[in-house]
DNA sequence: ATATACTTTATTGTATACAATATTGCTGCA
DNA sequence: TGCAGCAATATTGTATACAATAAAGTATAT
């Protein structure tokens, strides 16, 4: 820790910064599912005390990006096939309607923002930075929820997209290409046109496409030690 | 704090106990919206340190039962009319489908549990304990989500019902009677019969009824000081 | 050599101490 | 009286210290 406090500006919310940093690392697949997140370890990385690390981990646990096991610690979440399926079922339930609502409300500046997202997504893909592209793709969906101006449902969608990142990390089929940007482009067009029906349908089929690029059949290889699976504690 | 550790069993998760205690108090309307929740104050009540109180308050903030303002503290949430509307819109989107799913999966023991809930609800109403009746009513809905066996959506519904408690505290119209138990009874019957269509429709109309017993037009009286509303800080 | 009991180490859970910020009350002045 | 500025107080934000638990290692006995 910097003893002289020379390079610690600390202008705002420290905890949130740690949350954002960890979330980004998970979204960009730099932290794999089931990775142990030790409190001291993270604290040293970001030069903060365990107090704020713990708060950050609890935040991430709430949106199920990490799982906290009492007296064991925090791990990057590792959704089961069933959980993975549920995440996309929930998205299929919420997002089409949200897209419809966005189509009815979007302003020109909203459209600009969406197009900007797509452009960045393209750039990341061209640069071969798949992690960043995936993250941007998720933020595209979140942006639509914001435009729809439904805060409550928007929050749900945010957590679903966060978890989607983990699901994709675990269950993505190599064979299928990551060609979402075309779907995103069509969606933006429908929203720009105010075509509610089309926006809803495009979002729905987009999610179906995403789903079909996943293979939930077999559980992914676990990095967890066997002891975890064998001992039958009730905690 | 008990210096001799005589009466501190502390067998499990202390934080969760504080969370549950506060949540129950809010659900039963013993803690009114906008009430300040000081950390020391709560810590003394439950004989725990501020560390666990803070963790508990953060948990409750996640599900939006309390609102935390940086450097100001935690307050029981006070949903705006808009937020209140959104909560019920989201419920209308999620719960009917969940009821349908519950109807397709419910076991006899599930039905027992639901009937038990209704009985307790009746008892609480007869005893004039409206707070407890309201809480039980909410847990009835949560139980249906559990039966539907959709964990992800179930969590969303849980948070929505928690917030509904606040919405009802703020926007309930005196005129309309709290006569939900009849609707709940019919719903259980449909679920017991495995009548998916009916369960979905009953849930939908039940939520419509609930909604029509609320009046979102005027904002409730705020205990908050005006300074809060007048100063335009970006934090 | 394996298994088991015990010891040691590492990590998390909780409490407390200190720092930063906001709130309150006072004082003086117009 | 009313208000501006400062002092005092209270409350939250963060760091650290101590306690409890789990993990790892070691020695011994079978």
């Amino acid at each position: 820790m910097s003893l002289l406090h020379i390079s610690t500006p600390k202008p705002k919310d420290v905890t949130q910064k740690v949350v954002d940093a960890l979330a980004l690392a998970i979204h960009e697949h730099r932290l794999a599912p089931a990775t142990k997140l030790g409190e001291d370890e993270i604290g040293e990385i970001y030069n903060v005390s365990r107090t704020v690390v713990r708060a950050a981990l609890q935040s991430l646990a709430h949106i199920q990006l990490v799982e906290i096991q009492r007296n064991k610690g925090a791990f990057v979440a590792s959704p089961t096939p069933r959980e993975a399926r549920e995440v996309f079922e929930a998205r299929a339930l919420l997002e089409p309607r949200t897209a419809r609502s966005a189509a009815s409300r979007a302003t020109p500046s909203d459209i600009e923002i969406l197009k900007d997202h797509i452009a960045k997504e393209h750039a990341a893909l061209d640069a071969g930075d798949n992690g960043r592209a995936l993250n941007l793709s998720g933020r595209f969906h979140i942006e639509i929820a914001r435009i729809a101006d439904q805060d409550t449902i928007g929050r749900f969608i945010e957590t679903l997209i966060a978890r989607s990142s983990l699901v994709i990390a675990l269950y993505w089929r190599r064979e299928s290409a990551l060609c979402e940007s075309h779907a995103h482009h069509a969606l933006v067009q429908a929203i720009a046109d105010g075509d509610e029906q089309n926006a809803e349908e495009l979002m729905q089929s987009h999610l179906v496409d995403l789903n079909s690029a996943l293979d939930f059949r077999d559980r992914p290889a676990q990095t967890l030690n066997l002891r975890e699976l064998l001992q039958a504690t009730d905690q």
Side-chain angles (χ1 to χ4, degrees), chain A:
Chain A
M1 196 160 312
S2 71
L3 295 175
L4 298 179
H5 299 97
I6 294 176
S7 58
T8 30
K10 200 176 285 184
K12 278 191 179 180
D13 191 336
V14 185
T15 301
Q16 194 58 43
K17 284 194 175 174
V18 178
V19 169
D20 292 341
L22 288 174
L24 187 62
I26 295 173
H27 286 147
E28 292 185 348
H29 296 179
R30 297 198 309 273
L31 283 174
T35 303
K36 171 74 187 276
L37 301 172
E39 296 179 355
D40 277 324
E41 185 186 6
I42 296 171
E44 280 169 27
I45 292 172
Y46 297 110
N47 285 327
V48 292
S49 75
R50 280 180 53 217
T51 306
V52 340
V53 172
R54 278 178 75 83
L57 290 174
Q58 282 179 244
S59 261
L60 292 167
H62 184 77
I63 58 178
Q64 293 178 287
L65 272 187
V66 317
E67 181 192 347
I68 293 178
Q69 296 177 287
R70 183 170 175 87
N71 289 324
K72 302 282 183 65
F75 304 80
V76 178
S78 185
T80 63
R82 194 197 142 173
E83 288 167 339
R85 232 186 303 264
E86 279 195 4
V87 167
F88 275 84
E89 282 173 15
R91 288 186 64 173
L93 187 55
L94 296 178
E95 292 203 65
R97 182 163 314 197
T98 303
R100 167 183 282 273
S101 185
S104 77
R105 296 168 183 270
T107 67
S109 90
D110 289 333
I111 305 298
E112 274 313 302
I113 292 172
L114 288 177
K115 287 187 174 168
D116 199 47
H117 263 278
I118 293 179
K120 283 182 187 163
E121 209 179 320
H122 265 288
L125 273 179
D126 289 347
D129 190 345
N130 282 15
R132 183 172 151 75
L134 179 63
N135 184 32
L136 286 165
S137 165
R139 281 169 57 188
F140 176 85
H141 285 251
I142 291 171
E143 198 60 35
I144 288 177
R146 185 194 60 74
I147 293 169
D149 200 33
Q150 303 218 25
D151 207 57
T152 300
I153 292 175
R155 267 173 196 249
F156 292 159
I157 290 176
E158 241 177 286
T159 78
L160 290 172
I161 286 167
R163 295 181 74 194
S164 292
S165 175
L166 288 169
V167 170
I168 290 170
L170 288 168
Y171 300 100
W172 186 265
R173 296 199 308 204
R174 288 290 194 83
E175 313 91 62
S176 63
L178 188 69
C179 55
E180 303 184 40
S181 43
H182 184 261
H184 282 187
H185 191 78
L187 197 45
V188 169
Q189 197 55 52
I191 291 173
D193 295 343
D195 187 341
E196 300 185 21
Q197 190 63 29
N198 203 18
E200 181 168 351
E201 285 168 7
L202 282 170
M203 178 62 91
Q204 184 162 1
S205 65
H206 176 38
L207 289 172
V208 168
D209 288 347
L210 261 182
N211 209 356
S212 69
L214 298 169
D215 183 357
F216 300 132
R217 278 175 307 183
D218 45 2
R219 206 203 164 95
Q222 293 287 44
T223 321
L224 294 172
N225 48 5
L226 292 181
R227 196 173 296 103
E228 218 69 68
L229 301 169
L230 296 179
Q231 68 183 8
T233 62
D234 57 327
Q235 207 293 93

